[in-house]
Amino acid sequence: MTAKISGGINIAMKVPSHQYEATIRFYRDVVGLKPFTAKAPAVGFELGPNRLWIDEAPTMSQAEIWLELFTNAHRAALDHLEASGAIRCDPIEPLGESFRGGWIMNPANIVHMVREPDAW
């Protein structure tokens, strides 16, 4: 494989609307993580070297964790992952035509964004 894949820095927690505000308060007020709103209305928290994003997901009935993988060549990496059995799931959240990355699911149905570090 020509593409290198490594762990990204973003973790997304997709939270149903009825749990969203309480989840924000939990990480901010109970746990005491430092929040940031660089991509408002999204709310993120410093989680060690990572960023934990709490995303409101009105169409979901329960929370999910989505992870990020970085690659230097998104097409080759996505092709390799798909050929190795990962399920492509790009319709799950549109990223735009010019975005250099895509979505896959691992065998346990955990969603991963696979992207070049400067994909946006």
Side-chain angles (χ1 to χ4, degrees):
M1 177 178 78
T2 58
K4 179 184 173 198
I5 301 173
S6 62
I9 61 171
N10 292 302
I11 301 167
M13 184 180 297
K14 305 293 185 173
V15 179
S17 295
H18 68 278
Q19 298 170 325
Y20 181 73
E21 291 299 328
T23 302
I24 297 290
R25 282 192 303 274
F26 174 78
Y27 286 103
R28 183 189 59 220
D29 302 339
V30 177
V31 177
L33 296 181
K34 181 179 176 184
F36 54 89
T37 56
K39 294 186 178 184
V43 176
F45 294 93
E46 292 181 10
L47 187 68
N50 297 95
R51 291 181 263 182
L52 173 62
W53 293 96
I54 311 298
D55 295 337
E56 186 173 9
T59 61
M60 298 178 81
S61 64
Q62 62 187 25
E64 294 184 6
I65 296 292
W66 294 13
L67 302 174
E68 175 182 68
L69 297 171
F70 283 163
T71 180
N72 61 336
H74 75 277
R75 285 189 180 94
L78 288 165
D79 288 347
H80 166 74
L81 292 163
E82 188 173 18
S84 299
I87 304 298
R88 289 294 301 270
C89 56
D90 293 316
I92 199 162
E93 185 176 293
L95 297 167
E97 288 293 318
S98 62
F99 187 82
R100 291 184 314 280
W103 298 106
I104 59 119
M105 282 189 179
N106 74 11
N109 293 322
I110 301 298
V111 176
H112 292 67
M113 174 187 281
V114 180
R115 70 175 182 96
E116 295 179 19
D118 59 348
W120 274 282

